[in-house]
Amino acid sequence: MSGIHTENPLLARTGIPAWDQIKPEHVTPAVDAVLAESRDALAKVEQAASETTNVWQEVCAPLELVQQRLHRTWGPVRHLNGVMNTAELRAVFEQNIPKIVAFGLQSAQSLPVFNALKRLRGQPAEWDKLSPTQRRIIEKQILSAELSGVGLSGHAKDRFNEIERELSQSGTKFSNNVLDSSKAFELVLTKTEEIAGLPDHALELGHQNWRNAQAAKPNAEPVDAKASNWQMGPWRFTLDEPSYGPFMEFAQRRDLREKFYRARIARASTGELNNAPLMTKILELRREKAKLLGFKTYAELSVATKMAPSVDAVYGTLRELLAKSKKAGKTEMDSLRAFAKAHGEREEIIDWDLPYWAERMREETLGLREEELLPYFPMPIVLSGLFALVKRIFGVTVTAADGEAPVWHPDVRFFRIRDERGNPIAAFYFDAFSRPATKRGGAWMDRCLDRRVETLTNGKHEVQLPIAHLTCNGTPPIGNKPSLMSFSEVRTLFHEFGHGLQHMLTTVDHSEASGIRNVEWDAVELPSQFMENWLYDRATLASVTAHVETSEPLPDILIDKIIAARTYRAGYAMLRQLHFALTDLELHHKFNPETSAGSETPFDVDMRIARDVSILPPRPENRFLCSFMHIFSGGYAAGYYSYKWAEVLSADAFAAFEEAGLDRANEVASIGRRFRDTVLALGGSRPPLEVFAMFRGRPPSPDALIRHAGFSN
Ligand code: ZN
């Protein structure tokens, strides 16, 4: 064994991953070796589990080690597959996933382990000896095993496994249908009057889109560059967001916008790609699964793993936000109508006019142009401003440590975080720039290593410090100028850094609950959205800016515009999210596909909620549900509300600083310390409501979110 370990970097047991040495050929041997070892370890644990009196030591601790070793092997593979993707790596990645998933299920459904954990929980003398963190880890493991069907037997168990299989297949089919039906639609424009209003970047994309489609045709002839270019067309527009969004915002031709809109809301709703029957089937299966596990509805099952105490509590929060945002939404709509009328629009504003006129009004009233802001946000300035902010509020120091750890690409930077006494407490990689050919889009924070403290046989403690991956897809530097960040890129960086802080400033010693691990789905966006709030504090915003040529900070007039843009059409944005969240909840809670058959369809449910929530009259032909992948093929079933739930928390947490005065350094530092010691330090070791109350001194309130959105009563 030791031979393999020293040669294969994916089997290293200590230290920082050797990114510069990992090769695709290491993956399969490493995964096979670590899985063989893990299965052996699980078998030993299962043997010991039925008799041992020391469940923590003989069941929990060895299983934690198994998970950590697996993560040391598979974590880097998953990471590289996302940021340095090659055909070879993708192939071995896909080859090995099923093995990893199978082992995950095997250990989650282990009956001997489950019984040992329940036995421990049932023995007060033993249970009370455990720390609150240990008890919460065990509670969560028991719950997760229960929700994986460990407690079922005989016919019920067979049926449960069948449902799981069918749900997984139906989810895949649902999203494939959406992708296929989106792909089947195109709008190819050739005349200049058809593209009136579209900005250059949309036309460039449209033309490139057309060329790619031409090239993909069988027997494709090379496109003659002289006979066509982005100014001359043709231009091809499709239903995916980067193509659809700008078209609806800028195209002056109302008839084309209508055509495009109608195609979008009809995706996957007819013929062979019709998702409607699949949707009913998924809802039925979920309902049956919930019943097998002892819940009344699927929403109750979903909420059982979340921070929200009950489905009713979720309804309560959503309805409160609805009551507060409805008036704002209506007022916005009235002024948009007046604006359109004043600018010569004779038709009533309806769905396909909304993005177009909203964008015109934004241009005129805010006058905010992205190009104006860019020179003020050179990446090195933004980073030093961000690091100064976390020093100011949390007392930790971030320093560059490039060269102290191997990296996977020369652009990747390495940083260390130290506490007040200068002790290193964490580190992170920052992979900032987009690399379209090899790197997945978007931005994310991921765990590289978890914080954990292991007690060795000689009684000494071995500490593994947490390391985070911060991955963005920003604009790379051009020539010898630094990367100039757009405001939304800066916001994304603050967001991901917030996740990173929760991962890195944890003080929990057990890896299953340190950092973001074990944090409930509807609470995990608290630190990330919290950090975004700082960008709307004038002084903080100015401190992350310096003009790339003059070094001047962002002028007041641009700061005003950024702050005004935050609440522009906030009512509409809120109502839209509430519409999705309420429909999702209703379908998984009150709606019953069996008894409702014939009386109310899922589309009727959507319409009913739209009549209450939407600003525009709902359209009966709207089949948006047929492409609502978040809830039918993603992880958001009866959980779409999480976006708003976490935003209530983050806004309320930030309000603690606002109440003290953002410019009062000592108060900010002491509240910051409290935030660090609770939300950031405790991570998943305590229930999130308890952690929040420890920070705020009371349960969360939506008032701050309502105020930040600019809604009056
Ligand atoms: Zn996030």
Side-chain angles (χ1 to χ4, degrees):
M1 273 310 253
S2 64
I4 304 176
H5 288 185
T6 46
E7 283 156 27
N8 192 326
L10 290 172
L11 287 170
R13 290 283 149 88
T14 53
I16 293 176
W19 298 107
D20 50 345
Q21 287 165 38
I22 301 168
K23 299 203 165 59
E25 61 263 33
H26 292 130
V27 176
T28 303
V31 168
D32 288 343
V34 80
L35 281 179
E37 198 188 67
S38 303
R39 280 188 291 263
D40 281 353
L42 179 62
K44 281 207 192 86
V45 166
E46 287 183 332
Q47 239 169 27
S50 53
E51 284 135 39
T52 181
T53 50
N54 193 348
V55 174
W56 183 266
Q57 218 46 49
E58 292 192 45
V59 177
C60 302
L63 288 181
E64 187 263 0
L65 194 60
V66 163
Q67 291 305 328
Q68 282 293 305
R69 291 189 167 164
L70 209 56
H71 182 64
R72 274 194 171 267
T73 299
W74 188 242
V77 179
R78 207 184 49 192
H79 180 69
L80 290 175
N81 188 56
V83 297
M84 288 295 276
N85 199 295
T86 60
E88 294 92 328
L89 186 62
R90 194 183 315 169
V92 289
F93 180 76
E94 283 169 8
Q95 245 170 48
N96 283 282
I97 284 183
K99 296 188 260 179
I100 301 275
V101 171
F103 178 72
L105 272 177
Q106 191 194 338
S107 52
Q109 294 182 342
S110 164
L111 201 54
V113 169
F114 175 70
N115 288 335
L117 297 178
K118 286 222 320 197
R119 202 173 66 234
L120 173 58
R121 190 174 61 177
Q123 294 166 334
E126 295 301 310
W127 185 245
D128 293 344
K129 274 190 225 158
L130 299 173
S131 71
T133 303
Q134 289 171 313
R135 291 201 291 260
R136 185 163 138 96
I137 290 169
I138 294 175
E139 293 279 14
K140 285 273 171 180
Q141 282 169 348
I142 291 175
L143 180 64
S144 142
E146 280 169 350
L147 301 186
S148 309
V150 76
L152 302 174
S153 58
H155 175 71
K157 179 148 205 167
D158 294 343
R159 179 62 192 147
F160 182 88
N161 290 339
E162 206 179 305
I163 291 175
E164 287 291 80
R165 250 194 323 275
E166 278 192 56
L167 275 176
S168 138
Q169 284 164 359
S170 305
T172 309
K173 182 96 178 70
F174 188 96
S175 71
N176 286 344
N177 284 349
V178 177
L179 294 178
D180 290 348
S181 78
S182 304
K183 259 193 288 185
F185 180 87
E186 61 172 13
L187 192 63
V188 176
L189 305 178
T190 50
K191 305 189 191 79
T192 40
E193 69 262 24
E194 292 171 326
I195 55 152
L198 289 168
D200 291 356
H201 68 88
L203 293 175
E204 281 172 61
L205 185 71
H207 184 63
Q208 188 186 307
N209 199 334
W210 177 79
R211 288 172 80 112
N212 292 345
Q214 290 303 106
K217 284 185 180 158
N219 312 320
E221 297 259 330
V223 175
D224 181 358
K226 282 200 199 95
S228 84
N229 60 47
W230 72 264
Q231 281 131 321
M232 295 160 66
W235 307 271
R236 178 176 182 263
F237 294 91
T238 44
L239 292 174
D240 54 304
E241 194 50 42
S243 183
Y244 178 81
F247 191 90
M248 296 304 284
E249 283 173 1
F250 292 101
Q252 288 170 4
R253 280 278 295 269
R254 193 169 192 252
D255 58 328
L256 294 177
R257 292 200 310 260
E258 176 180 350
K259 191 172 171 188
F260 216 12
Y261 174 84
R262 288 189 180 281
R264 177 122 158 153
I265 58 162
R267 276 181 302 166
S269 68
T270 51
E272 281 190 6
L273 301 176
N274 189 357
N275 268 341
L278 210 50
M279 192 158 65
T280 312
K281 184 177 163 198
I282 291 172
L283 291 172
E284 261 165 14
L285 287 169
R286 284 180 180 158
R287 207 177 162 79
E288 193 185 345
K289 174 181 166 179
K291 291 250 150 93
L292 279 173
L293 295 172
F295 295 92
K296 280 210 276 306
T297 69
Y298 188 80
E300 287 186 0
L301 162 61
S302 164
V303 168
T305 63
K306 299 200 170 66
M307 172 185 177
S310 65
V311 177
D312 282 348
V314 177
Y315 268 114
T317 297
L318 295 177
R319 296 216 174 281
E320 187 170 357
L321 294 175
L322 176 61
K324 298 288 180 182
S325 52
K326 232 174 170 173
K327 208 176 100 191
K330 208 184 153 301
T331 313
E332 287 166 13
M333 196 59 216
D334 289 344
S335 56
L336 187 64
R337 283 201 181 97
F339 177 88
K341 204 170 171 194
H343 287 73
E345 178 65 74
R346 274 181 301 234
E347 304 286 341
E348 181 69 10
I349 301 278
I350 43 179
D351 300 81
W352 43 90
D353 305 314
L354 198 65
Y356 176 80
W357 283 110
E359 194 54 28
R360 299 292 79 68
M361 190 162 122
R362 196 174 84 101
E363 283 166 358
E364 195 171 302
T365 53
L366 297 177
L368 187 62
R369 290 201 349 265
E370 189 76 358
E371 310 88 85
E372 248 183 306
L373 297 178
L374 281 177
Y376 289 97
F377 293 100
M379 185 177 281
I381 301 291
V382 175
L383 284 178
S384 61
L386 170 61
F387 300 160
L389 172 69
V390 296
K391 169 119 197 162
R392 182 155 67 86
I393 49 182
F394 302 132
V396 296
T397 308
V398 183
T399 44
D402 300 297
E404 290 177 29
V407 290
W408 51 91
H409 186 277
D411 285 349
V412 177
R413 301 199 55 196
F414 187 65
F415 294 87
R416 285 192 199 284
I417 299 192
R418 290 185 171 76
D419 66 12
E420 292 85 343
R421 292 181 299 280
N423 299 321
I425 50 174
F428 64 92
Y429 299 95
F430 180 39
D431 188 345
F433 306 124
S434 94
R435 297 188 290 275
T438 54
K439 188 170 162 184
R440 182 155 71 83
W444 65 92
M445 192 292 291
D446 199 2
R447 317 140 45 206
C448 173
L449 293 177
D450 298 318
R451 179 186 157 84
R452 70 189 291 263
V453 178
E454 195 178 350
T455 309
L456 305 174
T457 38
N458 60 11
K460 285 197 176 142
H461 299 296
E462 199 171 83
V463 184
Q464 173 177 290
L465 293 181
I467 301 183
H469 287 299
L470 297 180
T471 311
C472 295
N473 265 287
T475 318
I478 299 168
N480 50 12
K481 270 195 190 166
S483 159
L484 299 179
M485 300 176 79
S486 71
F487 183 70
S488 85
E489 285 173 7
V490 174
R491 220 177 126 149
T492 301
L493 172 64
F494 271 57
H495 179 103
E496 300 308 334
F497 204 75
H499 284 307
L501 286 170
Q502 188 172 38
H503 180 68
M504 295 187 285
L505 301 191
T506 186
T507 54
V508 176
D509 292 344
H510 300 288
S511 72
E512 304 101 314
S514 73
I516 58 162
R517 297 196 62 197
N518 221 23
V519 177
E520 278 76 352
W521 181 281
D522 49 355
V524 84
E525 297 295 339
L526 161 52
S528 51
Q529 297 180 148
F530 166 82
M531 285 302 289
E532 287 182 50
N533 279 290
W534 286 96
L535 284 171
Y536 298 95
D537 166 42
R538 305 183 72 96
T540 306
L541 177 55
S543 76
V544 301
T545 65
H547 194 281
V548 66
E549 271 144 29
T550 64
S551 297
E552 291 289 316
L554 193 64
D556 281 347
I557 179 160
L558 289 177
I559 293 184
D560 290 340
K561 287 180 181 180
I562 288 179
I563 291 173
R566 184 188 198 186
T567 51
Y568 178 68
R569 301 192 75 238
Y572 172 77
M574 173 80 85
L575 289 171
R576 197 174 133 86
Q577 289 296 89
L578 292 175
H579 180 182
F580 296 156
L582 283 165
T583 305
D584 166 41
L585 207 57
E586 195 85 355
L587 286 175
H588 289 103
H589 194 55
K590 298 195 179 147
F591 178 71
N592 182 345
E594 284 159 41
T595 56
S596 306
S599 57
E600 197 182 37
T601 67
F603 304 117
D604 297 332
V605 173
D606 186 30
M607 280 286 288
R608 176 158 55 78
I609 290 169
R611 274 194 291 274
D612 188 26
V613 177
S614 175
I615 313 177
L616 292 174
R619 314 192 73 80
E621 72 273 28
N622 192 332
R623 288 292 174 270
F624 161 73
L625 282 181
C626 287
S627 59
F628 198 3
M629 293 197 283
H630 271 85
I631 69 164
F632 289 112
S633 58
Y636 282 88
Y640 198 86
Y641 77 87
S642 298
Y643 287 111
K644 285 293 146 203
W645 188 271
E647 217 180 334
V648 165
L649 305 178
S650 58
D652 195 13
F654 188 70
F657 292 83
E658 292 175 314
E659 285 156 16
L662 296 180
D663 52 348
R664 294 170 69 194
N666 290 340
E667 278 78 358
V668 163
S670 86
I671 299 167
R673 182 72 222 196
R674 198 163 76 232
F675 189 81
R676 180 180 156 194
D677 290 342
T678 53
V679 176
L680 299 179
L682 298 176
S685 72
R686 298 279 193 292
L689 193 63
E690 198 179 307
V691 175
F692 187 89
M694 282 166 85
F695 168 65
R696 202 65 170 99
R698 57 161 175 74
S701 142
D703 294 349
L705 177 58
I706 289 161
R707 177 167 52 80
H708 290 162
F711 304 151
S712 54
N713 283 311

